């Protein structure tokens, strides 16, 4: 039996970067995850279901649990002192820690504290997504270059899924590893070492209600998924929960593709590049899969602002490549047409 903390240390020692700072940072994320797990589990009993009354920078109504999860992660990262700044879906601006110790911390965390929060009331799996960057400017104030880093600079990407069991999955570029939370002793235990996604699968996940607004390339791909062809195991099966974390997690373990494309109303789609697309893209690639905006690799994209959105096609490599080829053929100018 190996715990999350033991495993992080072991991995850091293998790559020779064991100063303890990153291990502490990931451990802090684990601590916040346990608290959020408790809150999510007891939400129906403790009056924390429903809207908070606030609206975030993307104009979405904040749920009480969105706000609570955000506060728990900020608190754990502030107390842990390894994180100099946080980018969060629930905060308009970058949160910069400027106390004596923390302002020199090496890392920056981008966070979707609670993903799939429209599913909170109905007891469906939700999650937390996180991305960890190393800051570039040590000893000065946080700069734009520290905050707006491309996915290729990522140190760690991961998520926590609050599901029928709670799991923490992460990668630091040396494979994807999954830990299941044992609530009886309060620790994350390695249960899914070195997760790999199959090259192809038979699940496609997309909110098909938006069909009429989709680019022609996406419409063609959906039809491709629905065609009868025994040699490629089609028609595929359709699964869509509406929590990126849950949809991605299932497809990672089973093989499949998740898509949140741009559409005529929102050409850049809905998902946020820095704290939804990029960490999931790092995980997908590390598991042997692929992540694209339909035309280019998600990890190569240079963010221009912290809440930037991006279309996302992610999962089994061959499936993402097929969707990309139809996007190129039938909707080559879709993202330029904004
Ligand atoms: P969040 O709860 O963090 O705002 O994210 C919700 C996202 C994502 O998790 C999910 O896949 C997608 O929104 C669902 O959107 P639709 O309802 O438009 O399908
Ligand atoms: Mn989200
Ligand atoms: Mn969220």
């Amino acid at each position: 039996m190996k715990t999350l903390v033991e495993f992080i240390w072991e991995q850091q020692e293998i790559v020779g970067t064991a100063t303890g700072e990153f291990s502490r940072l990931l451990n802090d994320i684990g601590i916040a995850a346990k608290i959020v797990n408790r809150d999510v589990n007891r939400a129906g009993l403790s009056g924390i279901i429903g809207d908070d009354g606030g609206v975030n920078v993307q104009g979405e109504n904040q749920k009480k649990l969105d706000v609570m999860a955000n506060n728990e992660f900020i608190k754990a990262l502030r107390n842990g002192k390894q994180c100099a700044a946080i980018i969060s879906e629930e905060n308009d601006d970058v949160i910069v820690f400027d106390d004596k110790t923390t302002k020199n911390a090496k890392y920056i965390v981008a966070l979707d504290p609670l993903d799939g929060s429209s599913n909170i009331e109905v007891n469906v799996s939700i999650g937390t997504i996180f991305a960890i960057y190393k800051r570039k400017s040590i000893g000065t104030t946080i700069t734009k270059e520290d905050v707006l880093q491309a996915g290729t600079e990522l140190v760690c990407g991961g998520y926590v899924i609050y599901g029928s069991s709670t799991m923490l999955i992460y990668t630091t570029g040396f494979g994807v590893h999954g830990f299941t939370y044992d609530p009886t002793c309060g620790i994350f235990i390695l249960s899914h070492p070195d997760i790999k996604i199959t090259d192809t699968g038979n699940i496609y996940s997309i909110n098909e209600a938006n069909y009429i607004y989709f680019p022609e390339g996406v419409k063609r791909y959906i039809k491709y998924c629905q065609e009868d062809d025994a040699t490629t195991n089609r028609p595929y099966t359709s699964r869509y929960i509406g929590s990126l974390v849950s949809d991605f997690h299932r497809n990672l373990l089973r093989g499949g593709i998740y898509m949140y494309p741009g559409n005529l109303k929102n050409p850049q789609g809905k998902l946020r590049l820095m704290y939804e697309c990029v960490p999931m893209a790092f995980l997908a690639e590390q598991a042997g899969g692929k992540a694209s905006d339909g035309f280019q690799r998600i990890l190569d994209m240079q963010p221009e602002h912290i809440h930037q959105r991006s279309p996302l096609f992610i999962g089994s490599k061959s499936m993402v490549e097929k969707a990309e080829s139809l996007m190129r053929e039938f909707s080559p100018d879709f993202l330029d047409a904004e």
Side-chain angles (χ1 to χ4, degrees), residues 58 60 89 112 115-116 129 205 240 242-245 247-248 258-263 266-280 292-293 298 301 305-314:
Q58 15 257 326
E60 297 158 347
E89 179 189 342
D112 178 352
D115 171 71
I129 310 174
S205 310
Y240 188 75
S243 297
L244 170 62
V245 167
D247 283 306
F248 178 81
Y258 171 95
M259 292 169 279
Y260 208 109
N263 56 60
N266 302 299
Q268 294 297 331
K270 176 181 184 189
L271 300 177
R272 278 57 55 112
L273 179 64
M274 292 197 70
Y275 43 84
E276 291 181 315
C277 302
V278 161
M280 292 311 209
S292 160
D293 74 347
I298 291 286
M301 290 169 70
H305 54 90
I306 59 173
H307 298 295
Q308 182 172 330
R309 295 177 196 264
S310 169
L312 180 65
F313 298 75
I314 190 167

